[in-house]
Amino acid sequence: MWRAATLPLMRKAYHLTTFGCQMNEHDSERMKGMLEALGYSEATERGDADLILFNTCSIRERADERFIAHLHEANALKRRAPGTLIGVGGCWAQSVKEEVFQRFPFVDVAFGPGQVHKLAEFLTSDSLTAQGYFEFEGFTGDLPVKRTRDFQGWLQISVGCNCVCSYCIVPSTRGREVSRDPEVLLAEVRRLAADGVRELTLLGQNVNSYGRDLPADRRISFAQLLEQVDAVPGIERIRYTSPHPKDMREDVIRAHAVLPALCEHIHLPLQSGSSAILKRMRRTYTRERYLDRVALIREHVPDCAITTDIIVGFPGETEDDFQQTLELAELVGYDGAFTFIYSPRRGTEAAQLKEQIPHEVKVARLEALVQVIQRRAAERAQRFVGRTLEVLVEGPSRTDPSRLRGRSRHNKVVNFEGFGEVGELVEVQITAATSQTLTGEMSLVSRAPR
Ligand code: 5AD
Ligand code: SF4
């Protein structure tokens, strides 16, 4: 168990910028909790901080570029206030390791995703030299946490990934898959529920392979874990991200039909609709197997929202391969999708492949795909119009502060007229829908069926 060993005498301020996925956002909450236990307070401006931190992502080249611009800005601030410390954590740091200090000599401390606690060790030591920490040592789950929203919590159920997707840098930054013990997880869920968390998101690089690495006497499946979390009083919504289609078993799909808290939404990353490309991506499923999973979801949970991730322009992707992706997107009718242009990542198998696709072709394919995704998402969203949905209030609407904003169980953003406290579950009658958001009015009638 990590403990704040020494408290600095002077109250210092930190500023933390997070890039990347929900796993990183969760690690950032841990970093904040740990820093505040050490006596640091959060600065709203980077320029007011004694400690400038970045939690980085390395999934696509764009993520690297964005972060490096911020890093240079931090250096400029440090030149004006030389005592400032600069720390870089997360996946990008892990992917470049010690090289970070050669490329950016002004960085004081760097650490990979498994070494958040090492930041505290560095800050409380007398070391004046730059330090890097890149060996996985444990879960951040033992660290204190500063949650962004009281009613939403994350539960990291595993780290790492045993897949070998040929485009992906994650296996090299987050290592092999390690599942956390179910008893430890359940104790954490009970603590979170007691603390006011109503919506819980289970996190892992491949959540539905959870448990396979646990010793036989401690092992439970992902579906069993969902069932046990569902039974914890106070947890009203359960989400998880991301599952892998190859491990999407019927028991998990059925759980969506029977567990009251498990939301009617499955994010099922497709990546490509062409079996030939899926093979080169080493995804280990075919187009048919993926469609079969979708059919099974629709059979057990007909109203389930399905979202996905798709990459266009993978090396060797022909026009015909891309047409198959378009056709599959049309066929499934996703409720939403994250679409990406393939970006070669160093050290990955696909970066070595010949037949890299010209950028203009990738851009044209992305545009064509986004059109299909948005049209189908808008069509799908019409099914909500006229219905009353349960909405978890998140705050004022971003476009019109006189209205409220929340999320339905299908993970749709809902902007609505009405009243309600942040973190409250209310009933909203849906009056209009676009591909991205639903609009409605708060309903005062009895609770709607799910
Ligand atoms: N290029 C483009 N997109 C990528 N993703 C992962 N690696 C790459 C890459 N090299 C996408 C995948 C994944 C999502 C998180 O990011 O679609 O599901
Ligand atoms: Fe998350 Fe992957 Fe980015 Fe790491 S590289 S922060 S795991 S998206």
Side-chain angles (χ1 to χ4, degrees):
M1 177 79 184
W2 180 88
R3 278 189 189 83
T6 41
L7 290 174
L9 291 174
M10 255 175 41
R11 197 159 167 81
K12 294 198 164 182
Y14 70 91
H15 184 274
L16 169 60
T17 313
T18 307
F19 301 88
C21 63
Q22 289 178 316
M23 192 80 96
N24 261 22
E25 285 183 38
H26 175 59
D27 281 350
S28 287
E29 289 189 340
R30 299 278 181 201
M31 278 188 218
K32 290 182 181 184
M34 188 180 74
L35 289 166
E36 300 201 0
L38 282 174
Y40 280 79
S41 60
E42 187 168 6
T44 42
E45 300 293 327
R46 197 174 279 159
D48 297 334
D50 309 281
L51 170 64
I52 300 179
L53 279 173
F54 297 96
N55 196 6
T56 61
C57 171
S58 169
I59 197 99
R60 286 170 292 275
E61 220 170 337
R62 278 273 297 283
D64 290 8
E65 288 161 5
R66 272 182 60 211
F67 151 67
I68 286 165
H70 282 262
L71 190 57
H72 284 300
E73 190 196 306
N75 186 29
L77 291 168
K78 182 170 174 159
R79 269 196 244 112
R80 263 180 264 153
T84 309
L85 290 176
I86 298 183
V88 180
C91 293
W92 177 86
Q94 184 71 31
S95 73
V96 299
K97 296 201 177 145
E98 306 291 344
E99 204 188 305
V100 60
F101 301 115
Q102 282 136 39
R103 286 175 61 191
F104 306 100
F106 52 86
V107 170
D108 299 285
V109 57
F111 47 96
Q115 289 77 28
V116 168
H117 57 290
K118 286 285 184 184
L119 173 64
E121 208 171 280
F122 173 82
L123 293 171
T124 51
S125 77
D126 298 326
S127 168
L128 291 174
T129 48
Q131 293 283 337
Y133 305 98
F134 305 108
E135 292 301 313
F136 174 73
E137 281 181 20
F139 292 100
T140 54
D142 295 335
L143 298 174
V145 68
K146 183 191 177 192
R147 280 202 311 280
T148 311
R149 289 189 177 130
D150 289 341
F151 60 95
Q152 283 173 334
W154 278 307
L155 182 72
Q156 186 183 23
I157 64 167
S158 60
V159 288
C161 183
N162 291 352
C163 299
V164 287
C165 301
S166 60
Y167 52 81
C168 187
I169 199 164
V170 173
S172 75
T173 59
R174 291 201 180 239
R176 286 191 67 78
E177 186 171 308
V178 185
S179 301
R180 289 175 75 195
D181 186 90
E183 288 299 320
V184 173
L185 290 177
L186 264 297
E188 195 170 320
V189 176
R190 280 184 224 109
R191 255 196 328 269
L192 287 167
D195 227 26
V197 168
R198 306 183 91 172
E199 183 175 86
L200 187 69
T201 303
L202 277 49
L203 292 178
Q205 243 67 51
N206 179 2
V207 280
N208 51 354
S209 69
Y210 170 80
R212 289 190 200 154
D213 57 306
L214 290 171
D217 58 332
R218 314 288 306 161
R219 190 179 307 150
I220 62 169
S221 67
F222 181 59
Q224 287 169 320
L225 179 66
L226 288 172
E227 198 180 320
Q228 295 184 15
V229 173
D230 182 80
V232 175
I235 300 296
E236 306 207 40
R237 286 182 170 192
I238 304 170
R239 303 185 185 280
Y240 56 84
T241 192
S242 281
H244 193 301
K246 79 175 164 65
D247 298 315
M248 202 60 186
R249 302 240 179 85
E250 190 164 346
D251 56 356
V252 176
I253 296 173
R254 290 174 73 95
H256 283 266
V258 296
L259 301 179
L262 189 57
C263 289
E264 294 81 4
H265 170 219
I266 297 180
H267 183 74
L268 198 62
L270 167 69
Q271 314 302 2
S272 168
S274 151
S275 294
I277 294 295
L278 287 169
K279 192 156 184 204
R280 291 162 65 101
M281 287 177 162
R282 299 199 186 279
R283 290 289 287 170
T284 71
Y285 55 85
T286 59
R287 167 190 177 88
E288 290 70 32
R289 161 92 184 161
Y290 184 93
L291 284 171
D292 174 64
R293 297 297 91 186
V294 172
L296 204 60
I297 295 170
R298 297 247 154 100
E299 179 191 327
H300 288 292
V301 198
D303 189 38
C304 195
I306 304 180
T307 56
T308 198
D309 292 343
I310 302 176
I311 300 175
V312 299
F314 184 81
E317 183 187 70
T318 64
E319 196 47 43
D320 180 59
D321 291 319
F322 176 62
Q323 286 304 321
Q324 292 189 46
T325 298
L326 279 185
E327 193 191 276
L328 194 146
E330 187 78 56
L331 200 65
V332 172
Y334 289 105
D335 293 85
F338 296 112
T339 48
F340 306 104
I341 283 184
Y342 168 73
S343 158
R345 304 283 55 207
R346 73 166 175 182
T348 60
E349 190 189 342
Q352 312 297 322
L353 294 174
K354 300 197 181 62
E355 312 164 270
Q356 298 286 330
I357 307 291
H359 187 67
E360 323 75 79
V361 176
K362 290 182 184 170
V363 171
R365 287 182 183 170
L366 185 78
E367 282 169 5
L369 178 62
V370 167
Q371 274 201 7
V372 173
I373 294 287
Q374 287 187 345
R375 176 170 48 74
R376 294 294 280 126
E379 286 164 12
R380 288 272 299 158
Q382 298 312 310
R383 75 187 189 282
F384 298 121
V385 177
R387 278 168 63 182
T388 301
L389 299 181
E390 178 202 272
V391 173
L392 182 58
V393 182
E394 290 183 350
S397 151
R398 288 194 182 144
T399 47
D400 174 1
S402 71
R403 294 157 73 83
L404 287 173
R405 174 187 198 271
R407 247 166 229 278
S408 73
R409 289 172 58 93
H410 305 84
N411 209 31
K412 280 276 172 197
V413 171
V414 184
N415 291 310
F416 63 99
E417 261 167 52
F419 47 89
E421 296 294 315
V422 168
E424 200 181 323
L425 288 168
V426 297
E427 303 294 328
V428 176
Q429 169 136 40
I430 306 302
T431 52
T434 66
S435 62
Q436 303 278 347
T437 54
L438 304 178
T439 308
E441 283 158 25
M442 200 167 139
S443 147
L444 298 174
V445 292
S446 62
R447 236 182 132 78
R450 279 175 179 157

